[in-house]
Amino acid sequence: MKKSFLLAGVAVLFSANAYAVDIKPYVGLDYVYSMADIDKQEGYSVYEEDLSAFAVSAGARFHPNFGIEAFYQQSEEGEKTTMTYLKGTDQYKAYGIDVIGYLPVMEKLELVGSLGVARYNVDAELKIPLLGLESDGDDKGMGYRLGAGAQYNFNDNIAARAMVRYVDTDIDGLDNIVDLTLGIRYTF
């Protein structure tokens, strides 16, 4: 009887290890080229619509095909002069979380898809230098993100990733953003 319980216990331990989750944490750094769809006044925008940004991320793969990733992204300050007397500057910051799906297609190449949500903070300033007028403003809102791309795994620790993401925002005057990203990931 004792041997039966001992064997049953050993069997439970082995079966528990068979279903153990192999979590692989990683960090990443991305260059981001953002193309914003900003509402236009009289057919033109006073703000820069194409901005460069950098993003840092931390995530974990908890299954060969699924993971989760948190990120922080900040753009450069864009500057645009319109009709020689309007000067607009804009920039944004964002942080959020994405669920990532991986689909291996070759030994080291995977297709990558993402679905996530982020908080966006947009700072904008409009100046009319000839009149000495200036207007500052910022707006915050949510962005719902959908992405697709590919990841090449050089080895177990280093990977390169390229993605395109569509972001639908609820920010006044900013309908959506398309991000093109290129970056690296280091898995621990």
Side-chain angles (χ1 to χ4, degrees), residues 2 40 139:
K2 290 180 184 177
K40 295 172 177 45
D139 200 356

Side-chain angles (χ1 to χ4, degrees), residues 78-90:
E79 188 174 298
K80 185 174 185 179
T81 302
T82 308
M83 299 173 21
T84 67
Y85 61 87
L86 292 176
K87 183 178 179 183
T89 59
D90 59 330

Side-chain angles (χ1 to χ4, degrees), residues 116-180:
V117 64
R119 181 78 172 165
Y120 283 81
N121 183 7
V122 178
D123 293 320
E125 183 177 284
L126 181 61
K127 294 181 182 179
I128 306 174
L130 293 173
L131 301 175
L133 298 175
E134 193 173 304
S135 171
D136 289 338
D138 70 340
D139 200 356
K140 296 176 183 169
M142 298 303 291
Y144 304 96
R145 301 160 42 101
L146 178 64
Q151 179 168 300
Y152 185 81
N153 300 302
F154 295 103
N155 56 41
D156 288 343
N157 300 102
I158 299 173
R161 183 188 289 178
M163 290 190 75
V164 60
R165 282 194 179 87
Y166 176 82
V167 182
D168 184 29
T169 72
D170 64 2
I171 298 172
D172 289 337
L174 177 61
D175 295 328
N176 62 66
I177 303 169
V178 175
D179 285 338
L180 303 175

Side-chain angles (χ1 to χ4, degrees), residues 34-89:
S34 295
M35 298 169 284
D37 183 10
I38 299 173
D39 289 347
K40 295 172 177 45
Q41 304 295 324
E42 305 295 327
Y44 62 88
S45 173
V46 296
Y47 298 107
E48 182 60 52
E49 295 179 302
D50 298 340
L51 297 172
S52 291
F54 284 95
V56 293
S57 59
R61 284 178 81 157
F62 51 86
H63 183 275
N65 299 105
F66 296 103
I68 194 162
E69 183 173 293
F71 75 93
Y72 175 79
Q73 182 172 321
Q74 183 170 341
S75 77
E76 66 177 339
E77 182 176 82
E79 188 174 298
K80 185 174 185 179
T81 302
T82 308
M83 299 173 21
T84 67
Y85 61 87
L86 292 176
K87 183 178 179 183
T89 59

